[in-house]
Amino acid sequence: MEIAVATAVGTACVARLLYVWIGSRDRARLARLREQAISERARMLPAGSTLIEQHDGVGVRVRIRVGAPAGGARG
């Protein structure tokens, strides 16, 4: 009986650890994809533009100003 209880508790602990690990990995992946999307949109903007992103569910606000290269050089 003690072996069955120990096995059940051990299995529950391993399942919980896997659940937490997978959840944190998914949150990191979503953050990376969100940053990549913002970067791609900013690259498409002409100089002088402003990109504002706000994600209310996450509490993240990003503001990117696209400007001319340093030194005022134009290509």
Side-chain angles (χ1 to χ4, degrees):
M1 182 67 175
E2 292 176 5
I3 294 174
V5 172
T7 302
V9 169
T11 302
C13 289
V14 169
R16 178 67 180 160
L17 287 173
L18 283 173
Y19 176 79
V20 170
W21 178 67
I22 290 171
S24 64
R25 194 180 72 177
D26 286 345
R27 283 190 299 276
R29 183 179 295 156
L30 286 173
R32 188 171 41 249
L33 288 172
R34 187 177 296 121
E35 289 175 6
Q36 182 181 2
I38 292 171
S39 178
E40 288 176 7
R41 284 194 291 278
R43 278 192 218 114
M44 294 180 194
L45 295 173
S49 300
T50 302
L51 173 67
I52 298 174
E53 291 273 331
Q54 185 166 357
H55 301 279
D56 293 329
V58 186
V60 175
R61 183 172 180 178
V62 177
R63 180 181 175 134
I64 300 173
R65 295 186 102 174
V66 180
R74 295 185 184 229

